Amino acid sequence: MYNLLKGKKGIIFGALDKNSIAWITAERAHEEGAQFVLTNAPIAMRMGAINELAEKTGSQIVPADATSMEDLDNLVEKSMEILGGKLDFVLHSIGMSVNVRKGKHYTESNYDFTTKGWDVSAVSFHKVMNVLYKQDAMNEWGSIVALTYMAAQRVFPDYNDMADNKAYLESIARSFGYFFGVDKKVRVNTISQSPTPTTAGQGVKGFDGFFAYADKMSPLGNATALECANYTISMFSDLTKMVTLQNLFHDGGFSNMGVSQSVMDYFDEQE
Ligand SMILES: NC(=O)c1ccc[n+]([C@@H]2O[C@H](COP(=O)([O-])OP(=O)(O)OC[C@H]3O[C@@H](n4cnc5c(N)ncnc54)[C@H](O)[C@@H]3O)[C@@H](O)[C@H]2O)c1
């Protein structure tokens, strides 16, 4: 451990269970000396697992539906009270598509589902930053990170409307990040992570094929949830102060590949 987050305070959204990227990030942030508030949608909390994480990391939990401005206002206010001051980092680790959940094909989207999906997965990031900005809740050189996936840039048919939601999310990071940078010296970035076996990840149709293909294509293989957590910690630390408005690929090199020998060998064997 490096004490990278010693004395830093933050909010971590999206820890659902032990597999969640946010869960593992919270464990790592704790190990690196941070203090934080955990939050999730009230409905996700009923499952109760987050209490175990709170206990382990000495954190308090403040429920918030990330689409509700009222909930977010309360969350940010309470977090500053609990932590005794402004925040240094915020992790947005939230995603959900109703079209994916209900098995709707992309070409036959239900637009009420589409609207709900982009509100939860993308606009929630705008809302979180809006509240942080209005309440002047971030310390200078603070760092805000949201998690995303490369379907924002390239076609992955089964990723469905989450691809559009991620494109929207990444754009919000740049647009809001500009104002946060100029006005408050706060950095805003997205981390584009490899396929990862979590509840949200495995909800995508054909996840296993997706996962195996990415692993074979990437020179370093797929990045794990723990490796994503470590990268996120570095983005919260003072070692990355001048990085902002970026979409940072954390994918073992996948995003710059055309084809790998391992994938070619697989197809050669089929012939
Ligand atoms: N798993 C992957 O393959 C993968 C790859 C790249 C990016 N990501 C992204 O990582 C992030 C975290 O997902 P994960 O893979 O850890 O899965 P996860 O299912 O553990 O986490 C998703 C979280 O979103 C929360 N959430 C849903 N609706 C919410 C709402 N209205 N308000 C507040 N929280 C809400 C859920 O309760 C859950 O905790 C997501 O943005 C996801 O798209 C995941």
Side-chain angles (χ1 to χ4, degrees):
M1 301 314 115
Y2 312 92
N3 266 335
L4 279 176
L5 303 188
K6 191 157 187 254
K8 295 198 186 291
K9 305 170 201 291
I11 300 178
I12 298 183
F13 288 79
L16 180 68
D17 58 33
K18 283 188 172 144
N19 298 322
S20 300
I21 299 170
W23 184 292
I24 300 167
T25 309
E27 290 178 332
R28 286 292 297 113
H30 175 62
E31 283 167 2
E32 293 297 337
Q35 276 179 293
F36 45 84
V37 164
L38 294 167
T39 183
N40 209 325
I43 197 164
M45 296 211 165
R46 268 186 239 139
M47 290 147 102
I50 199 171
N51 293 321
E52 186 191 324
L53 179 65
E55 213 166 290
K56 190 173 174 191
T57 58
S59 312
Q60 292 197 39
I61 305 168
V62 179
D65 176 341
T67 64
S68 157
M69 290 297 281
E70 201 186 327
D71 284 9
L72 291 171
D73 261 321
N74 176 60
L75 166 69
V76 171
E77 209 180 298
K78 286 246 167 71
S79 298
M80 287 197 286
E81 262 170 48
I82 291 168
L83 299 168
K86 290 199 203 185
L87 310 171
D88 304 291
F89 65 90
V90 173
L91 175 64
H92 177 287
S93 184
I94 298 171
M96 195 276 303
S97 154
V98 191
N99 283 307
V100 167
R101 279 205 183 165
K102 304 261 186 203
K104 279 266 170 203
H105 193 267
Y106 184 72
T107 57
E108 291 167 4
S109 296
N110 169 315
Y111 296 112
D112 291 333
F113 296 172
T114 305
T115 301
K116 178 74 187 163
W118 88 50
D119 196 18
V120 170
S121 308
V123 179
S124 65
F125 193 39
H126 194 287
K127 291 177 177 172
V128 168
M129 288 195 280
N130 178 339
V131 171
L132 292 168
Y133 187 89
K134 260 193 332 225
Q135 291 196 22
D136 197 20
M138 296 297 296
N139 279 321
E140 280 197 357
W141 301 110
S143 173
I144 302 173
V145 168
L147 296 178
T148 186
Y149 182 56
M150 211 189 59
Q153 288 80 33
R154 311 241 172 116
V155 178
F156 294 84
D158 287 334
Y159 208 65
N160 210 316
D161 61 343
M162 274 307 288
D164 307 329
N165 296 340
K166 290 305 193 191
Y168 195 172
L169 176 83
E170 291 174 17
S171 179
I172 287 171
R174 289 185 291 269
S175 303
F176 218 124
Y178 168 77
F179 295 104
F180 244 130
V182 169
D183 298 340
K184 318 252 187 205
K185 287 226 169 356
V186 167
R187 54 217 151 102
V188 181
N189 296 285
T190 49
I191 293 181
S192 186
Q193 162 68 3
S194 296
T196 315
T198 62
T199 304
Q202 281 165 324
V204 177
K205 197 170 126 230
F207 177 82
D208 292 345
F210 218 49
F211 182 89
Y213 173 72
D215 201 40
K216 274 194 184 307
M217 273 291 273
S218 314
L220 299 179
N222 286 333
T224 64
L226 175 59
E227 284 153 350
C228 185
N230 283 334
Y231 189 35
T232 305
I233 298 295
S234 78
M235 290 306 299
F236 290 159
S237 81
D238 292 336
L239 301 178
T240 51
K241 271 171 82 173
M242 294 306 282
V243 183
T244 195
L245 312 188
Q246 303 302 311
N247 179 44
L248 304 161
F249 288 104
H250 183 258
D251 62 0
F254 179 82
S255 45
N256 268 343
M257 289 298 295
V259 75
S260 68
Q261 190 62 48
S262 161
V263 167
M264 289 211 295
D265 289 348
Y266 178 81
F267 283 100
D268 284 343
E269 276 168 29
Q270 308 292 309
E271 276 172 13

